Amino acid sequence: MERITAKDIMKSPVATVTPTSTLEEAATLMTTHLVDCLPVVDDEGKVVGVLTETDYMPRPSLRPMGEEHLYSFLGRMVSTDNLEEEYRSAASREVQDAMSGMDVPTFEETTSLSAIIEAMVHYRVHHILILRDDRLIGLVSGFDLMKLVSTKGT
């Protein structure tokens, strides 16, 4: 039996955005393509970060004295009182304000399934970028792993 590699299970081609794309454009791409991760590429096609659905979620932050609830939201510090307004105004902001940097592991298309799973567990990520000659060619997600179990996944 042949070993499963990234090439066998990766999604390709992959929808991408640029750092100057708006958060609205990114959200529209994610909902249209039913994906929860968009690699962010520069003008030369090199991956410079990722934007995930988690980036659209407020994260608890350190609370200064007297501040009850303070969150980090799409690159800004906001209070509970302002979250609704922040969601409404976020559409025109740029992806570079909210994206995660290149702390997502990358692999080549010949990487084994076991190495991909080990990286996902070790780094606590749900997405692995697949590169060829430093250019994005695919993405492996937890969903792709689930498809391996499904009888309708292949």
Side-chain angles (χ1 to χ4, degrees):
M1 180 181 251
E2 265 188 60
R3 295 190 70 156
I4 298 172
T5 65
K7 184 177 182 178
D8 299 322
I9 63 169
M10 69 185 188
K11 179 176 179 62
S12 182
V14 179
T16 62
V17 290
T18 66
T20 57
S21 297
T22 66
L23 290 173
E24 179 181 25
E25 291 167 337
T28 300
L29 264 178
M30 292 170 106
T31 56
T32 301
H33 292 278
L34 301 175
V35 297
D36 60 356
C37 175
L38 288 175
V40 182
V41 297
D42 64 16
D43 293 336
E44 296 167 7
K46 185 173 181 177
V47 179
V48 295
V50 294
L51 183 72
T52 70
E53 68 178 344
T54 305
D55 294 318
Y56 285 88
M57 295 292 298
R59 293 185 191 93
S61 188
L62 296 175
R63 297 176 183 158
M65 291 179 63
E67 185 67 48
E68 287 292 321
H69 302 282
L70 194 61
Y71 296 95
S72 173
F73 175 68
L74 298 173
R76 292 185 183 178
M77 299 304 290
V78 298
S79 70
T80 305
D81 298 337
N82 297 12
L83 275 174
E84 197 171 311
E85 182 181 319
E86 286 293 325
Y87 267 100
R88 287 190 180 121
S89 68
S92 63
R93 296 187 38 219
E94 293 183 345
V95 166
Q96 63 191 348
D97 297 330
M99 71 183 198
S100 301
M102 274 309 297
D103 52 356
V104 175
T106 62
F107 290 99
E108 296 178 351
E109 61 194 307
T110 56
T111 303
S112 70
L113 174 64
S114 60
I116 290 169
I117 292 171
E118 286 178 21
M120 288 175 138
V121 171
H122 178 77
Y123 293 102
R124 297 181 178 156
V125 295
H126 299 214
H127 308 91
I128 300 287
L129 303 179
I130 307 302
L131 307 180
R132 181 189 303 141
D133 299 325
D134 292 327
R135 297 290 180 242
L136 180 71
I137 61 165
L139 182 135
V140 176
S141 69
F143 186 78
D144 297 311
L145 300 179
M146 184 178 64
K147 288 191 311 187
L148 291 171
V149 179
S150 169
T151 57
K152 301 196 186 292
T154 54

